[in-house]
Amino acid sequence: AIDSNYVLQDESYILFDKETYVGCIVVKTAENTLEKYQSVLFVSLIHVAPSYRNRGIATAMLKELEGKKASYHKKSLYLGGDMECFFPGVFVLDNPTTHNFFFAYGFKKVYKSYNLWTNQQRKINFKHPDITFHVAKTKNEKNEILKCIKSNFSYRWYLDAKDHSTSGFVYATLDNQVVGFVKCAKLEDKKLSNGLNTYLRYQNLAAIGPLGVIEAVRSKQIGKSLVMFAVDYLFTCGASDVIVDWTGLIEFYQKCGFTSICDTFMLYEK
């Protein structure tokens, strides 16, 4: 079972041919979240076993779901971008057949996002005498971070953050007020963040994102220092590699030490 309150159980299933796995689909809604999501059904995962491909199975699953959109008061299907997602979209690299299938079915590109990677712990030289950087340790600290997120950033960020572990945040303060944060994810977390879903590739993967700095202090350019502080914290906790997931800010994160793009994703809509 998938541990997410957003899963639409009646439309999510696994197909078998007797005892042989054929394929699966996981469908989600995003009720009571962002307004723009209220008309969308999210295909979080659709897969057909290689030996059963080119038989119209994926097409049949999508057509069945499309036929039920109206009954859920939805207008669009999204591939990726769902709440508590596995991945932010469809893997791009070395995956042309999958993309050609979705194009042929009528899906359109919405946007491309990236995961960037580093395995280097860099020396930090902070140049912000009025800013203090912290690792959250108490429930009160987390509540102050959540208050900052809810007041200054996307409501989706707040929903993603509210059930995250307290030690999964680093943050910056000015005059004892939270002015920026980075959400950090480790494999020992009770619930894995989507940035860790490729953990089998690595010895001990950790992830960061999102990063937020309130508008009033952006001229101080503390974002890079916050990211480097977060990465240093994760390496100190034993991470072998750190990923920043679901971003388009390639140049910024490369300046923070994320040396390469490890995955690229495309979100689709129909």
Side-chain angles (χ1 to χ4, degrees), residues 235-247:
F235 280 125
T236 301
C237 289
S240 62
D241 306 81
V242 180
I243 280 176
V244 54
D245 74 296
W246 199 341
T247 185

Side-chain angles (χ1 to χ4, degrees), residues 5 25 30 52-53 75 77-78 83 99 102 114 140-141 144 149 152 160 164 176 187 208 210 218 231 257 264 267:
N5 292 328
I25 185 169
Y52 285 87
R53 292 174 186 171
K75 297 178 180 179
L77 295 183
Y78 273 25
M83 303 296 295
H99 291 272
F102 290 129
Y114 305 87
N140 183 61
E141 287 176 284
E144 290 300 312
I149 296 172
N152 296 280
D160 286 342
H164 196 54
N176 295 316
L187 289 177
I208 67 167
R218 286 177 191 165
V231 171
T264 305
L267 188 146

Side-chain angles (χ1 to χ4, degrees), residues 1-12:
I2 297 172
D3 182 17
S4 173
N5 292 328
Y6 299 105
V7 172
L8 199 56
Q9 299 290 348
D10 289 345
E11 309 304 337
S12 303

Side-chain angles (χ1 to χ4, degrees), residues 91-130:
F91 280 88
V92 170
L93 301 179
D94 302 319
N95 201 20
T97 301
T98 300
H99 291 272
N100 290 338
F101 167 77
F102 290 129
F103 286 143
Y105 191 84
F107 281 95
K108 306 296 183 185
K109 294 179 182 179
V110 178
Y111 66 79
K112 188 181 288 186
S113 65
Y114 305 87
N115 286 1
L116 284 85
W117 164 87
T118 184
N119 66 350
Q120 299 294 321
Q121 189 169 8
R122 301 178 70 186
K123 183 178 179 180
I124 306 173
N125 183 18
F126 294 131
K127 299 178 180 179
H128 313 286
D130 53 345

Side-chain angles (χ1 to χ4, degrees), residues 50-65:
S51 60
Y52 285 87
R53 292 174 186 171
N54 300 311
R55 303 188 193 186
I57 295 171
T59 298
M61 288 193 285
L62 288 172
K63 283 186 174 179
E64 181 182 21
L65 183 61

